[in-house]
Amino acid sequence: EANSALSFSYKINTMPTEQVQLGMKCEQGCGGELNITNELKNSALNTWQTMSVDLTCFTKKGVDFARVTSPFIIKT
């Protein structure tokens, strides 16, 4: 977890009109979500880009990496 990040490539075809959450879930109800709407709205359309999120952001939201069952969730 120390000095680590979740990185992924994405392409936006249409700007989001609702909030977009990036999350992780773990067993026994722990997990956390980050609002990435503004980052996506500031992205160029129809272009592949990379987003990196420091894992400490998820720790602060309650993720216990020893119990993660779903490491990558995007929802709106």
Side-chain angles (χ1 to χ4, degrees), residues 8-24:
F8 59 96
S9 297
Y10 67 98
K11 182 171 87 168
I12 299 173
N13 297 322
T14 305
M15 286 295 168
T17 57
E18 301 291 330
Q19 284 192 358
V20 181
Q21 302 290 326
L22 173 65
M24 291 186 180

Side-chain angles (χ1 to χ4, degrees), residues 31-49:
E33 297 178 345
L34 305 170
N35 184 337
I36 60 168
T37 310
N38 288 335
E39 289 85 350
L40 297 177
K41 285 186 174 183
N42 290 325
S43 300
L45 288 175
N46 302 311
T47 303
W48 283 102
Q49 297 167 79

